[in-house]
Amino acid sequence: MNEVIEKLVLYFEYPFVRYAFVVVVLSALCSSLFGATLVLKRFSFIGDGLSHIAFGAIAIAAVLKLTNETVLVMPVTIVFAVLLLGMGQNTKIKGDAAIAMLSVGSLAVGYLLMNAFSTSSNIAGDVCTTLFGSTSILTISKTDLIVSVVASIIVIIIFFLTYNRIFAVTFDETFAKATGIRADFYNLLIAVVIAIIIVLAMNLVGSLLISALVIFPALSAMRVFGSFKSVIICSAVISVVCAAAGLVVSVLAGTTVGATIVVANIVVFGIFYTAGLVRR
Amino acid sequence: MSLITCRDLSLGYDGRAVVSGLSFSVEKGDYLCIVGENGSGKSTLIKTLLGLLPAVSGEITFGDNLKRFEIGYLPQQTEAQKDFPASVYEIVLSGCLNGCGFRPFYTKEQKKKSTGNMEKLGIADLAKRCYRELSGGQQQRVLLARALCATHRLLLLDEPTAGLDPNASADFYKLVSKLNLDDKITIIMISHDVATALAHASHILHIGNSKSQFFGKTDEYNKSDIGTSYICSCGGKHHERSN
Ligand SMILES: Nc1ncnc2c1ncn2[C@@H]1O[C@H](COP(=O)(O)OP(=O)(O)OP(=O)(O)O)[C@@H](O)[C@H]1O
Ligand SMILES: [Mg+2]
């Protein structure tokens, strides 16, 4: 036991480990706040589609040799968030099929570009890192840290200020519209915020795993709790605990960060699922 | 001045009319029941009154200082709501949002109003319960309490008793009548249950094709050709069902 603590203390003496810890916890918190809304509004497809599109955008950024990928990836992801939202709500075209096409398409294009133009000696490794997160603890610079903290604070403030309206729009869009809430604006807001969260957290857990961070805590909390507020609070706690635990385990056991966090979420889901069955 | 006046209204989707030539007015304190066959455009009328759908042609005027968002609405339930984790109190409170303006949070008065409306409808003891675990009748009361938070003047109800058992329906109708008589809330309700509609409503709007439209007092409807034939056909259906 002492050995474990010593190893942890040693690791946490490095600033980049502490930064990574802060960023992981904040990203987990942000992604869980909007998870319940995403699940309940049947918007999960946006999270999933966006993570694929972000991969494509990263590939393009890599080909263009941008030093700061986010300047390209963030706007592209936001634009596609708005597009996906429109496609998902349009009942006339086959929205779900179009979304599937778009996300698989951007995966293929991204992979193709990375292979064709990359000068890196380890392309397979690069692709893997983008999809599933880095294999070891990330080296996070102070700038990354500041960007992440500021964005997280903005997301949290947006969530608090719009909480009541997001609840109304999620529970009953028609009623909300009838009482003068601009439901379309809030749908748009939700999609844009999800895009921001995905881009923020993607470096940590990888683009394929990020939607797990959004969906799992909410699904777990909904198994047990019966009010919107308690679901939100519970999913935030689950998400933060799983992220912190996952990070610590990955440091100690040398496992990949993203996958470890997702596995922690799966374990918690299993526990809450059983608890939900017992409760009924 | 009438609360709502509709003149030569045509309603429909994407510019194609489903109903046309609708003219009627609703006075303060009226209890208007909208009846008609399936697909005749009753829900479409409600959606248009709520401003969710533009009218194809014709005009709707709100009188007596009725504001656009001062309407309480009780929609038909959607699938998503059946497993929604929300407490009764949270849902009822969300009806107050139209009074919030740009304020992000609810005021003390709004919270009091929500509690008051829950007491009025006999669901105060359910406040902390989860909506998805309630019976159909209780759920409708919750949605009615939410609608009451949005208005103190006009309620629009779209088939509120669909899926309720006869006892729960009767209770619900009684509740709505009470709101109409005691609190002077104007009611516009769609109903398939013509017998009960006739028993409670002060006015009837029958929507059909352009020849078979009727608007007037309930007793006039009873005497009219449209009324008698529709009541007969519905009465027949009821009979079949009970056999
Ligand atoms: N979103 C829509 N787009 C196009 N047409 C629609 C739409 N919704 C309904 N309609 C059509 O409008 C007509 C009227 O529908 P509406 O829902 O108003 O009927 P209703 O009188 O409420 O019927 P019911 O008694 O079954 O509830 C129907 O013929 C229907 O096919
Ligand atoms: Mg209808």
Side-chain angles (χ1 to χ4, degrees):
Chain A
M1 193 66 209
N2 268 340
E3 251 173 73
V4 172
I5 293 172
E6 262 168 40
K7 194 170 174 190
L8 269 184
V9 169
L10 185 73
Y11 266 101
F12 273 85
E13 266 165 19
Y14 296 105
F16 70 83
V17 177
R18 289 200 301 269
Y19 295 167
F21 192 80
V22 171
V23 172
V24 164
V25 166
L26 279 179
S27 316
L29 177 63
C30 290
S31 50
S32 67
L33 289 181
F34 284 85
T37 309
L38 230 61
V39 171
L40 290 165
K41 279 187 85 67
R42 312 276 193 269
F43 274 3
S44 316
F45 67 89
I46 294 184
D48 208 44
L50 281 185
S51 54
H52 295 75
I53 284 156
F55 173 78
I58 288 182
I60 293 173
V63 168
L64 295 176
K65 300 207 170 49
L66 295 180
T67 40
N68 193 347
E69 292 173 343
T70 317
V71 285
L72 179 79
V73 178
M74 186 71 92
V76 168
T77 314
I78 289 178
V79 166
F80 275 94
V82 176
L83 273 179
L84 286 184
L85 180 73
M87 285 158 84
Q89 285 179 334
N90 192 333
T91 44
K92 288 198 184 100
I93 59 166
K94 291 260 169 288
D96 51 345
I99 288 162
M101 240 164 56
L102 205 63
S103 40
V104 178
S106 47
L107 266 188
V109 171
Y111 188 51
L112 190 74
L113 286 176
M114 273 193 164
N115 266 301
F117 295 102
S118 178
T119 47
S120 154
S121 54
N122 181 13
I123 297 171
D126 287 354
V127 172
C128 218
T129 304
T130 323
L131 286 177
F132 299 107
S134 63
T135 43
S136 59
I137 187 94
L138 269 176
T139 48
I140 286 180
S141 68
K142 201 147 196 179
T143 349
D144 289 342
L145 176 76
I146 291 168
V147 169
S148 167
V149 169
V150 169
S152 303
I153 289 173
I154 292 174
V155 167
I156 292 169
I157 289 176
I158 289 179
F159 182 77
F160 269 96
L161 292 182
T162 58
Y163 170 80
N164 289 320
R165 285 168 177 79
I166 284 180
F167 170 77
V169 171
T170 310
F171 180 69
D172 190 342
E173 202 171 303
T174 323
F175 182 86
K177 274 187 188 157
T179 51
I181 296 170
R182 285 164 302 151
D184 297 328
F185 168 78
Y186 286 98
N187 286 337
L188 201 68
L189 183 79
I190 293 166
V192 169
V193 170
I194 289 298
I196 295 176
I197 292 168
I198 284 178
V199 174
L200 278 183
M202 206 170 50
N203 295 337
L204 301 164
V205 297
S207 66
L208 279 190
L209 299 183
I210 172 65
S211 35
L213 232 59
V214 178
I215 309 285
F216 266 107
L219 284 175
S220 304
M222 277 161 57
R223 284 274 130 199
V224 171
F225 288 95
S227 83
F228 196 65
K229 199 191 235 165
S230 50
V231 165
I232 299 285
I233 293 173
C234 176
S235 49
V237 171
I238 292 176
S239 189
V240 167
V241 169
C242 284
L247 192 66
V248 168
V249 169
S250 74
V251 164
L252 292 176
T255 51
T256 58
V257 183
T260 314
I261 293 176
V262 175
V263 168
N265 271 298
I266 294 173
V267 170
V268 169
F269 178 75
I271 295 169
F272 275 66
Y273 185 87
T274 326
L277 290 182
V278 171
R279 216 180 72 110
R280 267 171 214 161
Chain B
M1 178 152 191
S2 306
L3 214 52
I4 298 180
T5 316
C6 296
R7 262 181 238 103
D8 202 23
L9 203 58
S10 291
L11 312 168
Y13 299 87
D14 306 318
R16 257 178 300 149
V18 176
V19 209
S20 48
L22 271 184
S23 294
F24 66 94
S25 62
V26 182
E27 307 293 327
K28 199 171 166 237
D30 278 0
Y31 188 147
L32 174 69
C33 225
I34 304 174
V35 296
E37 316 273 308
N38 288 121
S40 55
K42 304 181 295 294
S43 298
T44 311
L45 173 60
I46 294 275
K47 282 185 219 157
T48 313
L49 287 177
L50 285 168
L52 301 175
L53 198 68
V56 175
S57 67
E59 64 171 324
I60 305 173
T61 30
F62 291 111
D64 202 12
N65 225 349
L66 182 70
K67 305 224 176 49
R68 164 72 178 73
F69 298 128
E70 230 185 351
I71 302 176
Y73 173 46
L74 199 120
Q76 287 172 323
Q77 284 200 32
T78 59
E79 271 306 304
Q81 285 171 4
K82 298 224 169 89
D83 54 36
F84 199 99
S87 71
V88 168
Y89 181 61
E90 285 177 318
I91 293 170
V92 174
L93 197 58
S94 75
C96 293
L97 269 178
N98 61 349
C100 276
F102 284 105
R103 233 178 320 107
F105 305 111
Y106 299 109
T107 61
K108 271 219 180 69
E109 285 90 76
Q110 287 174 323
K111 289 180 182 165
K112 232 187 250 162
K113 186 170 157 193
S114 306
T115 322
N117 283 329
M118 286 195 291
E119 275 161 14
K120 194 187 279 178
L121 301 188
I123 50 169
D125 52 327
L126 302 179
K128 292 222 171 66
R129 287 279 298 279
C130 178
Y131 179 77
R132 62 186 168 193
E133 289 161 7
L134 301 181
S135 74
Q138 289 170 326
Q139 289 184 340
Q140 284 304 76
R141 280 172 190 239
V142 173
L143 297 188
L144 184 61
R146 177 183 66 167
L148 279 180
C149 284
T151 187
H152 54 279
R153 301 174 69 182
L154 176 62
L155 280 177
L156 299 187
L157 314 166
D158 193 345
E159 287 182 41
T161 57
L164 298 191
D165 63 55
N167 277 334
S169 305
D171 283 349
F172 193 84
Y173 279 120
K174 242 182 252 162
L175 215 55
V176 173
S177 286
K178 196 161 167 289
L179 291 173
N180 178 240
L181 295 173
D182 298 353
D183 298 310
K184 302 278 175 283
I185 295 175
T186 312
I187 310 281
I188 300 179
M189 175 159 81
I190 297 179
S191 180
H192 274 301
D193 187 355
V194 185
T196 329
L198 292 176
H200 292 287
S202 66
H203 292 74
I204 300 286
L205 174 65
H206 183 120
I207 302 183
N209 56 42
S210 57
K211 272 182 209 136
S212 59
Q213 272 175 16
F214 175 91
F215 170 69
K217 291 235 166 68
T218 308
D219 41 343
E220 291 166 23
Y221 182 70
N222 278 326
K223 288 178 213 137
S224 69
D225 290 346
I226 300 175
T228 36
S229 64
Y230 188 67
I231 295 164
C232 268
S233 68
C234 288
K237 260 186 235 152
H238 270 285
H239 203 69
E240 271 164 38
R241 229 181 272 153
S242 59
N243 276 345

